[in-house]
Amino acid sequence: MRRTTRYPVQGANSLWHVYKTVPFAKVVKNFLVIQAARYTPFLGLKNRLYRTFLKMEIGEQTSFALMVMLDVMFPEKISVGRNTVIGYNTTILAHEYLIKEYRLGNVEIGSEVMIGANTTILPGVSIGDGAIVSAGTLVHKDVPPGAFVGGNPMRIIYTKEELADRWNDDEIYGISKTGRD
């Protein structure tokens, strides 16, 4: 189960209550920063914008591809380890506004993670170090370290051990050549 905190609302659906849950000025600032970063080709600048203005924790050499969409309302709840790649047009959410409630949850993405294009990551999930998320995946639960996952709904395609066996003799990813475990 995803780790989210639930907040009930009365009357209209929770999105009608949005500016009671997050200040309007914060949303505008976050939107402008995220939109600027989505289009810039400079990876270091993106990371600096995210760290400085959105208060995100981002490891060194992490790369956010073109058009990545971060949570506009609560980006500070997203953390990404070092040397991770977030693929083109991926969406990372730290909130859900539903009919009778809204939910908030941290998103923790480990180091040396590969997230394929057009992936959606829901609030309250953790993606372990060295994991690979296939393009177009809906990440609705935790991803174990080193696992290869994909699909909608997401499922484990290879465990860390199965993937290591597959890559054992690979000239680029081979365990004996890279020292990865």
Side-chain angles (χ1 to χ4, degrees):
M1 191 68 179
R2 293 183 288 130
R3 291 167 303 284
T4 58
T5 304
R6 301 170 66 191
Y7 301 91
V9 298
Q10 299 294 318
N13 71 67
S14 64
L15 200 50
W16 279 96
H17 299 269
V18 67
Y19 297 117
K20 295 176 190 171
T21 63
V22 60
F24 178 75
K26 176 185 175 187
V27 174
V28 170
K29 177 201 62 143
N30 291 351
F31 176 81
L32 294 172
V33 170
I34 290 167
Q35 289 304 314
R38 288 183 81 191
Y39 291 95
T40 186
F42 305 110
L43 300 176
L45 177 60
K46 285 183 194 209
N47 289 352
R48 201 168 322 121
L49 289 169
Y50 294 157
R51 286 183 192 118
T52 303
F53 297 105
L54 303 183
K55 306 301 182 211
M56 291 175 59
E57 292 181 27
I58 299 173
E60 294 300 315
Q61 297 175 320
T62 283
S63 301
F64 289 84
L66 190 68
M67 302 303 290
V68 169
M69 185 66 199
L70 300 175
D71 190 293
V72 170
M73 296 175 196
F74 301 98
E76 69 277 5
K77 292 186 170 291
I78 300 168
S79 64
V80 184
R82 65 171 175 69
N83 202 32
T84 287
V85 175
I86 311 291
Y88 175 86
N89 206 37
T90 289
T91 300
I92 305 173
L93 298 172
H95 78 277
E96 299 176 305
Y97 283 91
L98 308 170
I99 301 293
K100 296 181 182 279
E101 67 177 309
Y102 68 95
R103 300 174 187 171
L104 303 178
N106 292 334
V107 174
E108 298 167 352
I109 301 171
S111 294
E112 302 212 2
V113 172
M114 174 61 217
I115 297 176
N118 296 304
T119 291
T120 299
I121 301 170
L122 295 180
V125 299
S126 175
I127 301 174
D129 292 344
I132 300 170
V133 178
S134 177
T137 297
L138 174 63
V139 181
H140 67 289
K141 60 185 177 179
D142 289 349
V143 177
F148 176 47
V149 301
N152 183 4
M154 183 192 85
R155 65 180 184 83
I156 295 176
I157 298 170
Y158 296 113
T159 64
K160 179 179 181 177
E161 294 75 23
E162 291 168 337
L163 199 54
D165 286 344
R166 288 183 59 84
W167 281 351
N168 193 41
D169 295 325
D170 186 273
E171 62 187 58
I172 295 173
Y173 293 100
I175 301 300
S176 59
K177 293 173 182 59
T178 64
R180 271 182 78 155
D181 50 338

